[in-house]
């Protein structure tokens, strides 16, 4: 039976929470008095369905059920997790928490998306909430700041890791927690730079995305500065740049007057910078870029990339069919090209993923490779049979055509969700000793596991397209 998440407040953040839970197999109930809430959350979900599965090389679980309710009480009934995402006014939060407490199960985790309030403030009227502060878009960015009762935060962290998030337990209460204090500092400095006519909104954004923003995405602040200290490390950096703390490099202790003139100045520059795109277009651009960055971080498991790899390992394996399913995944937009479909190189990539998965199935996994043995590909033959678009779900089944001695001969069928055969890839691999870089027989355990598959597939018809040469007539 699917677990249930109740979302109270369905704005940008609440909608992101709904998408994150729903796409990880939870049932989701939403309360929001906005008559447009269902439409808005539907649009957030459309973006999430396009981007979140594209982070993974394995399919997410089947979506849960989404429902909208007219009352808080009906929304939270039977919930395992309740997430409050109402406006940042303490009186509103107290009123909502009273309704939640009256109807939510006693064992339900109650989280607040608040950016600034402390748990002690949220719970002044008898609630038992913890801060579970996310970052937009919630369905892509993994960080959640958890603040509050240690035992509840530990339970919450387990749930959050199960939906692919990174819980950061903030041990001490402080206004705005950790991350938003940094964001607020940068925001205040940016307002001064615009107000004083030193920089435009576009120039400030360029300074972040072309420079330190890229470093922060993988290493954060202190690791970045440790490298800046060179071989002498952090102490050298501190000694070199410490004196600048007394220089007039920042106005962080001072706040510009927030008036209509400042709002008009910022808004007009922002319109000139980005007004040619709709909000939904900007969201999709943001999501596509985040998917590309996060997928790049997967390869080194740096930062959020490590969270993705760990979560993917917990996802359920594909359901068995007549042949082993070696890949079941969604196509990310980063795999498409100028023709608007999946580029030819990524057909090879998904076939290579299938070969890697089959290697794991017969015991030639990471531990085996670390011991000094592996399989090397020596020949591939790809046939492109149908177009594949971003967002398409692809399933690869693998048939063993041969597996004697050093050789491993595989045939991968790459199919779309509707059953259309999109491509086939025939591949020949040789077992290799990584110390000598020469072919050699596999270890007995791998050899026996491979022989099992060879026997299981021996009676299958030879697949259409196997053994074809390039340019050979079809049919």
């Amino acid at each position: 039976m699917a677990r249930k998440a109740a979302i109270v407040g369905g704005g940008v953040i609440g909608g992101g929470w709904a998408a994150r839970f729903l796409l990880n197999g939870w049932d989701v109930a939403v309360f929001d008095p906005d008559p447009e809430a269902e439409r808005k959350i539907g649009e957030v979900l459309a973006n999430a369905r396009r981007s979140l599965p594209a982070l993974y090389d394995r399919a997410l679980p089947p979506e849960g059920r989404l429902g909208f309710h007219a009352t808080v009480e009906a929304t939270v009934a039977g919930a395992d997790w309740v997430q409050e995402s109402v406006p940042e006014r303490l009186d509103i939060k107290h009123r909502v928490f009273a309704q939640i407490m009256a109807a939510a199960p006693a064992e339900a985790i109650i989280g607040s998306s608040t950016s600034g309030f402390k748990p002690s403030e949220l719970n002044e009227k008898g609630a038992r909430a913890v801060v579970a502060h996310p970052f937009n878009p919630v369905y892509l960015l993994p960080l959640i700041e958890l603040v509050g009762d240690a035992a509840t935060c530990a339970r919450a962290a387990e749930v959050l890791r199960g939906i692919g998030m990174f819980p950061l337990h903030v041990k001490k209460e402080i206004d705005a927690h950790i991350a938003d204090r940094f964001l607020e500092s940068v925001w205040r400095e940016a307002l001064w730079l615009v107000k004083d006519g030193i920089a435009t909104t576009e120039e400030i954004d360029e300074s972040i995305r072309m420079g330190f923003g890229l470093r922060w995405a993988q290493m954060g602040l202190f690791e970045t500065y440790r490298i800046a200290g060179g071989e002498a490390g952090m102490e050298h950096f501190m000694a070199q740049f410490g004196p600048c703390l007394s220089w007039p490099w920042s106005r962080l202790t001072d706040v510009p007057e927030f008036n209509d003139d400042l709002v008009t100045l910022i808004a007009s520059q922002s319109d000139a910078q980005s007004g040619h795109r709709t909000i939904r277009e900007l969201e999709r651009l943001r999501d596509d870029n985040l998917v590309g960055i996060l997928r790049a971080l997967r390869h080194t498991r740096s930062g959020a990339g490590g969270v993705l790899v760990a979560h993917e390992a917990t996802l359920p394996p594909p359901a068995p069919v007549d042949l082993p399913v070696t890949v079941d995944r969604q196509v990310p937009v980063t795999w498409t090209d100028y023709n608007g479909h999946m580029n030819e190189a990524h057909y090879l990539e998904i076939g290579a993923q299938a070969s890697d998965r089959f290697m794991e199935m017969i015991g030639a996994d990471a531990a085996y490779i670390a011991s000094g043995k592996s399989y090397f590909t020596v020949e591939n033959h790809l046939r492109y049979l149908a177009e594949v678009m971003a967002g398409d779900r692809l399933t690869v089944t693998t048939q063993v055509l041969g597996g004697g001695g050093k050789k491993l001969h595989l045939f991968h069928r790459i199919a779309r969700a509707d059953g259309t055969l999109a491509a086939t890839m025939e591949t020949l691999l040789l077992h290799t000793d990584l110390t000598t870089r020469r072919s050699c027989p596999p270890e007995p355990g791998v050899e026996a596991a491979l022989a099992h598959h060879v026997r299981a597939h021996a009676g299958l018809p030879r697949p259409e397209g196997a053994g074809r040469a390039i340019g050979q007539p079809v049919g």
Side-chain angles (χ1 to χ4, degrees), residues 143-314:
L143 180 62
I144 299 291
E145 292 178 309
L146 287 175
V147 196
D149 175 72
T152 305
C153 285
R155 289 175 55 217
E158 184 178 355
V159 171
L160 292 167
R161 281 189 285 267
I163 59 173
M165 308 195 86
F166 182 82
L168 178 65
H169 187 189
V170 181
K171 305 298 192 305
K172 293 185 178 181
E173 286 193 356
I174 188 172
D175 292 327
H177 327 311
I178 295 176
D180 270 357
R181 294 180 75 89
F182 285 115
L183 292 174
E184 179 68 12
S185 298
V186 174
W187 172 245
R188 290 183 182 190
E189 192 68 26
L191 292 180
W192 274 121
L193 290 171
V194 175
K195 185 178 187 301
D196 292 344
I198 294 167
T200 65
T201 59
E202 184 171 10
E203 290 166 345
I204 291 169
D205 284 349
E206 297 288 21
S207 74
I208 295 170
R209 62 187 173 205
M210 298 297 180
F212 64 86
L214 293 171
R215 298 186 308 199
W216 284 7
Q218 55 176 318
M219 287 189 166
L221 179 65
F222 285 98
E223 277 198 344
T224 294
Y225 281 161
R226 180 181 180 84
I227 293 173
E231 293 183 359
M234 181 61 86
E235 287 188 7
H236 175 70
F237 173 81
M238 295 292 287
Q240 185 176 6
F241 290 95
C244 75
L245 295 176
S246 63
W247 298 345
W249 278 14
S250 171
R251 297 183 66 168
L252 292 183
T253 58
D254 197 5
V255 183
E257 181 183 355
F258 195 81
N259 54 30
D260 291 343
D261 289 341
L262 180 59
V263 171
T264 299
L265 178 63
I266 298 291
S268 62
Q269 289 189 11
S270 180
D271 288 345
Q273 177 186 354
S274 306
H276 60 290
R277 290 191 174 102
T278 68
I279 292 298
R280 297 303 175 216
E281 288 172 338
L282 286 171
E283 287 176 342
R284 286 190 290 273
L285 177 62
R286 173 203 65 192
D287 291 357
D288 290 347
N289 290 337
L290 283 173
V291 168
I293 293 169
L294 290 167
R295 287 195 61 82
L297 292 174
R298 283 173 54 100
H299 292 288
T300 57
R301 304 193 178 193
S302 299
V307 178
L308 282 173
V309 172
H311 182 226
E312 184 172 277
T314 70

Side-chain angles (χ1 to χ4, degrees), residues 54-194:
L55 293 176
Y56 296 92
D57 291 341
R58 186 182 291 184
L60 290 171
E63 282 190 24
R65 296 173 299 173
L66 176 63
F68 292 84
H69 299 275
T71 66
V72 170
E73 290 77 7
T75 303
V76 305
D80 300 284
W81 183 293
V82 179
Q83 187 69 24
E84 169 271 311
S85 301
V86 303
E88 288 285 271
R89 280 180 46 188
L90 199 54
D91 60 326
I92 296 177
K93 290 184 183 294
H94 284 162
R95 186 169 69 249
V96 167
F97 279 130
Q99 294 173 287
I100 291 172
M101 291 295 294
E107 67 277 9
I109 295 170
I110 300 174
S112 173
S113 298
T114 180
S115 299
F117 292 122
K118 301 186 290 289
S120 58
E121 295 170 316
L122 298 174
N123 297 329
E124 286 173 342
K125 306 293 185 181
R128 52 177 177 83
V130 295
V131 169
H133 174 232
F135 293 82
N136 188 38
V138 183
Y139 52 80
L140 284 182
L141 297 185
L143 180 62
I144 299 291
E145 292 178 309
L146 287 175
V147 196
D149 175 72
T152 305
C153 285
R155 289 175 55 217
E158 184 178 355
V159 171
L160 292 167
R161 281 189 285 267
I163 59 173
M165 308 195 86
F166 182 82
L168 178 65
H169 187 189
V170 181
K171 305 298 192 305
K172 293 185 178 181
E173 286 193 356
I174 188 172
D175 292 327
H177 327 311
I178 295 176
D180 270 357
R181 294 180 75 89
F182 285 115
L183 292 174
E184 179 68 12
S185 298
V186 174
W187 172 245
R188 290 183 182 190
E189 192 68 26
L191 292 180
W192 274 121
L193 290 171
V194 175

Side-chain angles (χ1 to χ4, degrees), residues 14-25:
W17 274 110
R20 172 69 79 160
F21 276 110
L22 193 73
L23 269 61
N24 277 279

Side-chain angles (χ1 to χ4, degrees), residues 272-411:
Q273 177 186 354
S274 306
H276 60 290
R277 290 191 174 102
T278 68
I279 292 298
R280 297 303 175 216
E281 288 172 338
L282 286 171
E283 287 176 342
R284 286 190 290 273
L285 177 62
R286 173 203 65 192
D287 291 357
D288 290 347
N289 290 337
L290 283 173
V291 168
I293 293 169
L294 290 167
R295 287 195 61 82
L297 292 174
R298 283 173 54 100
H299 292 288
T300 57
R301 304 193 178 193
S302 299
V307 178
L308 282 173
V309 172
H311 182 226
E312 184 172 277
T314 70
L315 296 177
V321 292
D322 293 340
L323 289 170
V325 177
T326 45
V327 174
D328 183 11
R329 57 159 307 152
Q330 181 171 307
V331 175
V333 71
T334 51
W335 281 14
T336 58
D337 61 17
Y338 48 83
N339 290 317
H341 58 203
M342 189 166 87
N343 182 263
E344 61 192 75
H346 298 292
Y347 288 84
L348 176 62
E349 181 171 352
I350 201 168
Q353 289 176 358
S355 295
D356 288 345
R357 174 60 188 138
F358 186 80
M359 285 170 56
E360 293 174 353
M361 291 170 60
I362 61 172
D365 53 14
Y368 187 80
I369 294 168
S371 74
K373 303 288 175 58
S374 186
Y375 279 94
F376 283 9
T377 303
V378 293
E379 187 173 351
N380 282 316
H381 183 77
L382 260 167
R383 295 189 305 150
Y384 302 94
L385 305 176
E387 282 191 304
V388 174
M389 306 297 183
D392 282 352
R393 183 167 174 173
L394 294 179
T395 300
V396 183
T397 55
T398 297
Q399 181 175 343
V400 181
L401 300 184
K406 307 172 185 178
K407 293 182 179 180
L408 175 57
H409 188 188
L410 303 175
F411 191 86

